């Protein structure tokens, strides 16, 4: 720290962010083009400085762990935004944008805003879209992008660049980046994609290529750690409510009716949790982070039996990754993996539907019973982003551009405590964002549903 640094500053530890000057110390700087834009005059405080930071945590127990000390500083990240000086001459930039993994609302918005931001704000004229995920780098499937081409992309679901899982060949990808002269790479994808981006960044550093790499986290499940929320999540919760509402109508309209909705969430139950809190029609929410059981006192069947006696119907929401340990698997199914190397999940919704019918036939023979199973997975992830997510995607894309133009590399832009920040890519790739079933948010779910805690007495 410089002379005159206060005790408060000494107790804040700012995460080190990779920068091109770490590898090219003599790199020339350029004045931000906004300085000479006749239509834009930056105001005081517009440019972000190296001392602008965002705290990772803002809630503390004053009696336990505050104030911070030099030995245990508060964790902070560099704040996102435009810098007065940049490390790329816009005319020399050749940018690549790629989308990987599954679909998510807002992908096209991010692509559009990357193109528009690079073109209109910084004057970049060579922008390429890599088609069909990571394999598109070495398949030579690239399209030239410009603002006119991407003008209406934010109104469409999916990704106009197409996507795929797998296809990650590190040396072929970096060879292609080097051969095609890309010096800015924007990688949009989930946790697996981010782990791949780390490898690309490391290989680029090993080869000493003057290429900036940024990952833009995309996961409809909201399972990316550190950042407040991933784009597309708000849209997914909104669409999930429509499925829950339909299940509630079906259940309420039948004798002993159960509406069963399966929502996305392989390893985390954030969509199921938030949809449950916002809909208020859900009687029980099952997520991957919480084990549950079917039979016996305090089990799911006993709870549903009570709900049917009280109300004549019930609504059950289950995340796709919940209960996987309960579903019988063949030996082949135990070893099955998808293109990204993830275990293939069995359909917990279909399994629950069968188990519910068998339970009722066994315990209430001859009585009417209906289970309506709704799986809106592909409908939810394929829709265009709503207003909240569209706004988020725009800010996320522009944050990425400002960071790259400022010379940062190996980073992820994202909101922390609602302030856009730059986070080391490796840190994001390793972080998880699981539902904490011991915190207040899960307690709110319990208070809304009054569901069992599934702890055997």
């Amino acid at each position: 720290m410089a002379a005159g640094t206060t005790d408060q500053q000494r107790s804040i530890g700012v995460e080190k962010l990779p920068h091109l000057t770490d590898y090219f110390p003599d790199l020339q700087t350029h004045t931000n083009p906004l300085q000479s834009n006749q239509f834009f005059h930056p105001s005081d405080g517009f440019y972000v400085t190296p001392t602008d930071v965002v705290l990772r945590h803002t809630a503390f127990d004053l009696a336990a762990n505050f104030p911070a000390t030099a030995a245990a500083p508060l964790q902070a990240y560099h704040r996102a935004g435009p810098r007065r000086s940049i490390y790329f001459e816009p005319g020399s930039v050749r940018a690549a944008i790629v989308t990987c993994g599954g679909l998510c609302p807002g992908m096209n918005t991010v692509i559009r805003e990357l193109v528009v931001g690079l073109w209109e704000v910084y004057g970049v004229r060579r922008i390429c879209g890599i088609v069909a995920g990571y394999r598109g780098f070495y398949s030579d499937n690239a399209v030239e992008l410009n603002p006119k081409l991407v003008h209406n992309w934010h109104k469409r679901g999916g990704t106009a660049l197409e996507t795929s899982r797998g296809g990650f060949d590190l040396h072929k990808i970096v060879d292609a980046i080097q051969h095609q002269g890309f010096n800015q790479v924007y990688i949009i994808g989930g946790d697996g994609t981010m782990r791949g981006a780390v490898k690309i960044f490391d290989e680029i550093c090993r080869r000493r290529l003057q290429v900036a790499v940024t990952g833009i986290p995309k996961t409809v499940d909201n399972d990316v750690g550190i950042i407040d929320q991933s784009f597309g999540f708000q849209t997914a919760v909104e669409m999930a409510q429509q499925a829950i509402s339909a299940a509630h109508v079906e259940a309420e309209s039948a004798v002993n009716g159960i509406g069963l909705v399966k929502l996305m969430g392989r390893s985390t139950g954030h969509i199921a949790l938030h949809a449950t809190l916002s809909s208020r029609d859900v009687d029980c929410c099952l997520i991957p982070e919480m084990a549950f059981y079917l039979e016996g006192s305090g089990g799911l069947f006993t709870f549903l039996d009570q709900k049917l006696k009280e109300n004549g119907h019930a609504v059950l929401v289950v995340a796709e990754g919940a209960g996987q340990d309960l579903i019988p698997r063949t030996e082949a199914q135990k070893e099955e993996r998808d293109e990204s190397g993830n275990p293939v999940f069995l359909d917990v919704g279909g399994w629950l539907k069968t188990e519910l019918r068998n339970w009722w036939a066994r315990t209430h023979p001859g009585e009417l019973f209906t289970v309506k199973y709704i799986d809106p997975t592909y409908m939810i992830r394929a829709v265009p982003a709503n207003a909240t997510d569209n706004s988020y995607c725009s800010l996320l894309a522009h944050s990425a551009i400002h960071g790259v133009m400022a010379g940062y590399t190996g980073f992820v832009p994202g909101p922390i405590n609602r302030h856009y920040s730059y986070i080391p890519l490796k840190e994001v790739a390793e972080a998880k964002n699981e539902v904490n079933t011991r915190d207040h948010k899960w307690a709110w779910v319990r208070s809304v549903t009054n569901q069992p805690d599934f702890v055997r007495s």
Side-chain angles (χ1 to χ4, degrees):
M1 286 286 183
T5 300
T6 65
D7 290 339
Q8 288 88 344
Q9 286 175 309
R10 279 197 295 270
S11 64
I12 295 177
V14 183
E15 291 295 309
K16 176 71 171 67
L17 200 61
H19 195 276
L20 288 175
T21 54
D22 296 339
Y23 315 98
F24 305 95
D26 299 325
L27 203 59
Q28 184 180 354
T29 61
H30 307 271
T31 301
N32 194 311
L34 287 173
Q35 283 293 97
S36 56
N37 188 323
Q38 61 176 320
F39 302 111
F40 191 89
H41 300 89
S43 58
D44 291 340
F46 173 77
Y47 291 114
V48 178
T49 70
T51 54
D52 279 326
V53 299
V54 177
L55 292 179
R56 169 79 182 273
H57 301 289
T58 56
F60 299 94
D61 180 350
L62 293 175
N65 57 5
F66 194 86
T69 64
L74 298 178
Q75 188 179 16
Y77 298 95
H78 287 283
R79 187 168 155 230
R83 267 60 176 175
R84 188 178 296 274
S85 297
I86 61 175
Y87 285 81
F88 283 94
E89 197 287 308
S92 69
V93 171
R94 181 167 169 78
I97 302 170
V98 64
T99 55
C100 306
L103 298 184
C104 175
M107 293 175 78
N108 278 326
T109 305
V110 173
I111 299 167
R112 179 193 187 277
E113 293 308 312
L114 286 172
V115 173
V116 172
L118 284 165
W119 190 288
E120 302 291 356
V121 178
Y122 285 100
V124 174
R125 293 295 182 264
R126 296 187 298 169
I127 309 169
C128 283
I130 306 301
V131 178
Y134 275 138
R135 57 174 43 87
F137 276 107
Y138 54 84
S139 299
D140 203 23
N141 290 332
V143 294
E144 294 288 335
L145 301 176
N146 59 66
K148 186 176 181 179
L149 178 65
V150 303
H151 178 64
N152 287 316
W153 282 14
H154 63 294
K155 299 177 182 178
R156 298 162 50 182
T159 166
L161 292 181
E162 302 177 6
T163 186
S164 68
R165 297 187 187 275
F168 185 83
D169 188 312
L170 177 60
H171 294 290
K172 283 185 178 181
I173 291 170
V174 180
D175 285 347
I177 291 171
Q178 188 172 4
H179 174 71
Q180 296 183 54
F182 295 129
N183 53 9
Q184 294 185 5
V185 180
Y186 298 85
I187 301 172
I188 306 165
D191 54 353
T193 301
M194 293 300 106
R195 289 191 292 272
V198 169
K199 295 177 181 178
I200 291 172
F201 167 68
D202 286 341
E203 179 63 15
I204 283 173
C205 292
R206 190 189 69 79
R207 298 190 191 187
R208 297 192 62 79
L209 303 178
Q210 196 171 310
V211 180
V213 177
T214 181
I216 300 180
K218 169 228 51 122
T219 165
V220 74
D221 295 346
N222 197 36
D223 58 359
V224 172
I226 304 176
I227 62 174
D228 294 345
Q229 201 171 87
S230 52
F231 75 79
F233 177 69
Q234 291 283 355
T235 306
V237 172
E238 187 176 299
M239 293 297 295
Q241 284 188 74
Q242 296 182 25
I244 292 171
S245 179
H248 181 250
V249 169
E250 289 283 356
E252 203 173 29
S253 302
V255 177
N256 293 320
I258 288 184
L260 173 59
V261 181
K262 184 180 79 171
L263 297 176
M264 287 170 291
R266 290 180 56 86
S267 58
T268 62
H270 292 287
I271 293 178
L273 184 156
H274 283 265
T276 295
L277 284 176
S278 56
S279 75
R280 303 304 174 99
D281 286 330
V282 179
D283 294 291
C284 189
C285 174
L286 304 175
I287 60 175
E289 296 89 342
M290 180 191 69
F292 67 93
Y293 58 95
L294 302 180
E295 306 275 2
S297 176
L300 180 63
F301 291 161
T302 301
F303 174 73
L304 290 176
D305 196 34
Q306 178 183 328
K307 283 293 177 182
L308 291 175
K309 288 176 181 176
E310 292 175 355
N311 303 323
H313 66 277
V315 175
L316 176 61
V317 166
V318 59
E320 62 182 315
Q324 290 296 315
D325 57 325
L326 300 177
I327 308 174
R329 288 175 178 263
T330 64
E331 288 302 316
Q333 287 173 329
K334 291 178 182 178
E335 302 298 324
E336 193 175 1
R337 302 270 170 173
D338 64 18
E339 298 93 332
S340 299
N342 301 312
V344 173
F345 283 3
L346 299 181
D347 181 8
V348 65
W351 170 76
L352 263 179
K353 179 182 177 181
T354 300
E355 292 297 313
L356 285 165
R357 285 178 169 172
N358 291 341
W359 159 68
W360 190 264
R362 187 171 65 251
T363 58
H364 301 78
E367 293 188 34
L368 290 174
F369 181 68
T370 301
V371 180
K372 294 295 185 182
Y373 174 38
I374 299 175
D375 179 359
T377 301
Y378 292 100
M379 291 175 60
I380 289 175
R381 72 179 201 162
V383 300
N386 66 10
T388 302
D389 274 323
N390 258 332
S391 174
Y392 176 18
C393 289
S394 298
L395 294 171
L396 197 63
H398 282 259
S399 294
I401 295 168
H402 291 316
V404 167
M405 295 301 292
Y408 292 115
T409 182
F411 74 95
V412 164
I416 297 176
N417 297 315
R418 302 181 72 178
H419 295 281
Y420 285 80
S421 314
Y422 295 141
I423 311 155
L425 181 57
K426 292 181 180 180
E427 197 171 328
V428 173
E430 295 170 357
K432 298 294 182 184
N433 182 32
E434 296 178 342
V435 172
N436 182 359
T437 56
R438 296 179 180 273
D439 74 357
H440 295 103
K441 193 172 291 184
W442 185 249
W444 294 338
V445 170
R446 294 284 316 284
S447 67
V448 167
T449 62
N450 199 32
Q451 67 185 62
D453 58 14
F454 298 108
V455 175
R456 293 184 185 272
S457 55

